[in-house]
Amino acid sequence: MDISFFSGAVTFICCFVAVAAAFLTHRSKSVRTKGGEDSCNCVCSRGSCGGGRFEKTSVLNGGSSSSSSVFGGVEGEMVEKVPVTVAAEKLTGASMMEQLVPEITTHALSYLDYPSLCRLSMTNSLMRKAANDDNAWKALYHKDFTLEQDSLSPINGWKAYYAATRAIMNVNTDFFNVIRERSVPAMEHFWLNADYVKCFHASGEYFTGHNAVIGSWQLAFNWEQNVYFEIRDVKARVMTDSAWVTMKAYLNMGSGNVTNVFELHNGRWYMVHHHCSVMLIHGGAGQQAVQG
């Protein structure tokens, strides 16, 4: 979502607040002038306030001497304009974003996508503070990934956790792109070169060790039949140096549940475990093997 939409939303909210404030100010003035003597809140000792004269009380002039003034004249205007002036001074020193309550700001930021929120944080210090709000990134995480992990409290905050989840999601997508391309060198580079890596194919075959795992993928890629598949319901859980991703794979020859496990080594995510199992169709009828 473009930043212009966010700016428009904020401008609309601020205009609404300004109109509401103007309406309340006008209503307050009407209440003060409509009731004549009975509704007058002036500090008067006697006389009327509805356009006539009044005498200031001894509390104001310090004794028995009195002075008169026409209400609605110069002094009346000063009394009426002081609150408006003070309010205007308060508004002058604060931007529209500063006047919004945190809940409204977080709600407005929730309409932005990941790139737009990052760009917003680079505009100025105020926008950077708003865009780095932990609640805004938590809301974006739930919108882009999953409503699960709501009670989670990431050590480095939700922004860092969102970035780590986005990274592992991209790595998981790259894995299935390698399968579509049937590239053995890419698959070999994708897996961690270790003896404890494991791969469980949907056929039930099980391989352990880097060489055996890559050999099993080479056999699968040599299969002449093209396989079209779609990945759905992808969910990830990211730890400090490991992560796992669960999903469902729908193919033209069946469907299956898939789990991928990754480890972080030297700043790069490597696959260490892949497990694909057949998904039961209609309560177990018609089980079919799924490649992977």
Side-chain angles (χ1 to χ4, degrees), residues 32 71 74-84:
R32 284 196 294 267
F71 189 82
V74 177
E75 292 188 16
E77 290 180 357
M78 292 177 64
V79 172
E80 293 295 331
K81 289 183 179 179
V82 166
V84 179

Side-chain angles (χ1 to χ4, degrees), residues 15-127:
C15 290
F16 176 78
V17 173
V19 172
F23 173 76
L24 292 176
T25 302
H26 176 73
R27 183 180 179 184
S28 176
K29 290 182 179 180
S30 299
V31 171
R32 284 196 294 267
T33 59
K34 182 178 180 180
E37 292 182 350
D38 296 336
S39 61
C40 177
N41 294 323
C42 302
V43 183
C44 304
S45 59
R46 63 178 179 272
S48 64
C49 295
R53 293 178 174 272
F54 68 91
E55 293 186 6
K56 296 181 180 179
T57 62
S58 59
V59 176
L60 295 178
N61 54 37
S64 59
S65 61
S66 62
S67 60
S68 61
S69 173
V70 178
F71 189 82
V74 177
E75 292 188 16
E77 290 180 357
M78 292 177 64
V79 172
E80 293 295 331
K81 289 183 179 179
V82 166
V84 179
T85 304
V86 173
E89 290 176 352
K90 291 182 179 179
L91 293 177
T92 302
S95 66
M96 292 186 297
M97 282 293 296
E98 290 175 319
Q99 298 173 43
L100 296 178
V101 297
E103 291 78 7
I104 296 179
T105 303
T106 301
H107 180 72
L109 294 178
S110 67
Y111 288 96
L112 296 180
D113 56 12
Y114 172 61
S116 299
L117 199 58
C118 291
R119 287 194 211 88
L120 181 66
S121 66
M122 296 185 290
T123 55
N124 56 53
S125 58
L126 179 61
M127 292 295 100

Side-chain angles (χ1 to χ4, degrees), residues 174-191 214 217-218 220-222:
D174 292 340
F175 170 71
F176 290 101
N177 289 336
V178 170
I179 295 178
R180 290 186 178 95
E181 296 169 359
R182 295 172 175 262
S183 174
V184 176
M187 184 64 74
E188 184 176 3
H189 183 69
F190 200 86
W191 282 78
I214 300 305
W217 284 107
Q218 186 173 9
F221 292 160
N222 289 335

